[in-house]
Amino acid sequence: MLAGAAGVGKTRLMLECLAVAERSGLPTARVAATRSAAHLPFGALAPLLPPPDPHAVDAVEGQAEFLRRCCVALAERFGGRRFVIGVDDAHLLDHASATLVHHLVVNAVAFVVATVRVGESPPDPVVALWKDDLAERLDLTGLTSESIEELLGTVLDGSLDRAAVARLALRCQGNVLYLREL
């Protein structure tokens, strides 16, 4: 679980984790939660899931059966191999999607790499991932002035004016997204 403020690099780090998993031969999937999909059950995960059963007897039983079917379908989709799922902005997941992600992890169907924004209230199943030691939570902070100088030196491939680096570090306050924009 990669936690931090907007722009500290959570998504970029998650994508790098997925790339490492892919290079290691592990199957991967990626979803992005959004505020608009948060109002739809399984909204964020819909592209990965089978259609719901229209013959479900009642809503609760139908949802539980759909959850089970989703786990089976995802396992089959990846050849029965444990896969790595990247969930961007997991604090925006609808409760059904959050429950499914939790269920995938608990049942060792998937390994999750997710991002959450600090200050937001993620759904309980997302919080349970790190509270119940199913996932490690890493709180990301902004870069130090020294790290900014090193990053700029690497990206710009040269030496930098220390005053310019100090001004950029002050203006972006360690936020990589702001630094890139500046």
Side-chain angles (χ1 to χ4, degrees):
M1 193 65 58
L2 304 170
V8 298
K10 300 179 301 294
T11 299
R12 179 75 177 128
L13 187 54
M14 179 198 68
L15 293 174
E16 286 300 317
C17 290
L18 290 177
V20 167
E22 285 178 357
R23 285 193 300 273
S24 299
L26 297 171
T28 64
R30 178 180 176 218
V31 296
T34 62
R35 291 197 192 286
S36 57
H39 302 291
L40 302 169
F42 301 103
L45 297 171
L48 302 176
L49 302 179
D53 182 1
H55 305 295
V57 177
D58 66 34
V60 174
E61 183 179 318
Q63 286 180 356
E65 175 59 19
F66 184 63
L67 184 67
R68 189 197 65 72
R69 283 183 52 227
C70 289
C71 284
V72 169
L74 287 170
E76 288 173 355
R77 177 182 182 141
F78 297 106
R81 295 178 60 206
R82 189 173 186 201
F83 67 98
V84 181
I85 185 168
V87 182
D88 200 15
D89 292 329
H91 57 279
L92 295 176
L93 284 175
D94 61 274
H95 288 286
S97 293
T99 300
L100 177 55
V101 168
H102 184 269
H103 195 72
L104 291 169
V105 173
V106 166
N107 291 294
V109 174
F111 179 88
V112 67
V113 180
T115 69
V116 292
R117 188 172 297 162
V118 172
E120 299 284 338
S121 297
D124 291 341
V126 172
V127 174
L129 289 172
W130 71 81
K131 275 184 63 179
D132 296 342
D133 292 325
L134 298 169
E136 185 175 341
R137 179 180 164 136
L138 301 173
D139 287 290
L140 306 179
T141 59
L143 297 178
T144 64
S145 294
E146 295 80 20
S147 297
I148 290 172
E149 183 173 8
E150 183 179 338
L151 175 63
L152 290 174
T154 300
V155 171
L156 300 175
D157 195 30
S159 61
L160 305 167
D161 178 74
R162 286 189 133 344
V165 171
R167 283 193 304 274
L168 287 169
L170 178 66
R171 294 276 191 255
C172 77
Q173 298 180 358
N175 188 302
V176 179
L177 178 62
Y178 298 160
L179 177 63
R180 187 180 77 188
E181 293 300 317
L182 289 171

